[in-house]
Every structure is written in C-alpha cells, then in structure tokens.
C-alpha cells in the first residue's frame, strides 16, 4: 500500500533524484543561489543517502525483562569512521 501522503506541485525548475549529500547540497545551491524551484525525491524515508544508522532492540537479556538498544552504522560511515568521535 503505497499511499501518497503528500501533495506535490507539478511545477518545478529542477527535480533532484536522491537525497544523499550530493543531492541535498545540489538542491540547496540551486534553490538559494540560482533561485530555482527544486523538488527532491528519494526511495528512502530519511534523507542522507548511504550515511544512515539503524537501531535494533535485543531480546530480553535475562534480567528484569529489560532490552538493550544497539545502534548500527550502515554505508560509508563504517569505513570512514564517522560513527566514532570526533565525527
């Protein structure tokens, strides 16, 4: 069920496909510097491209039914060390 929850205006100067860092920066420059009306579309529900992380809750760990949250980096953040300080 892919219901369209947003209404879209069909009058854009530029359409950017991809909400990764390149697409977001390009759209920002086109909008702010060149005064273009820009739409950004991405297949993911969050902007950021490959620079995402996700959380997973553990199963009960045996003591008082508490669960532990683990955060996993995905994409280049693992290789580039973006998940460790300093960011």
């Amino acid at each position: 069920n892919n219901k369209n929850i947003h209404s879209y205006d069909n009058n854009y100067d530029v359409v950017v496909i991809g909400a990764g860092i390149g697409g977001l920066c390009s759209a920002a420059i086109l909008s702010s510097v060149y005064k273009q009306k820009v739409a950004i579309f991405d297949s993911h529900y969050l902007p950021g491209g490959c620079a995402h992380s996700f959380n997973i809750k553990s199963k009960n760990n045996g003591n008082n039914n508490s669960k532990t949250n683990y955060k996993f980096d995905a994409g280049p953040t693992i290789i580039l060390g973006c998940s460790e300080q300093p960011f």
Side-chain angles (χ1 to χ4, degrees):
N1 292 336
N2 247 350
K3 293 183 179 180
N4 188 356
I5 60 171
H6 303 285
S7 62
Y8 297 106
D9 181 0
N10 291 327
N11 299 313
Y12 299 107
D13 299 314
V14 179
V15 173
V16 175
I17 307 297
I21 190 68
L24 293 174
C25 289
S26 298
I29 291 169
L30 287 165
S31 178
S32 62
V33 175
Y34 295 101
K35 309 300 181 206
Q36 300 293 304
K37 187 174 179 184
V38 181
I40 304 171
F41 295 94
D42 195 273
S43 62
H44 203 277
Y45 63 92
L46 289 174
C50 290
H52 283 285
S53 63
F54 57 93
N55 296 320
I56 293 182
K57 288 186 179 181
S58 70
K59 295 181 180 180
N60 292 345
N61 60 9
N63 44 348
N64 66 9
N65 293 330
S66 65
K67 293 185 178 185
T68 304
N69 290 323
Y70 295 98
K71 185 172 188 173
F72 295 92
D73 289 323
T77 55
I78 297 169
I79 297 168
L80 299 175
C82 297
S83 61
E84 299 173 11
Q85 291 186 353
F87 297 110

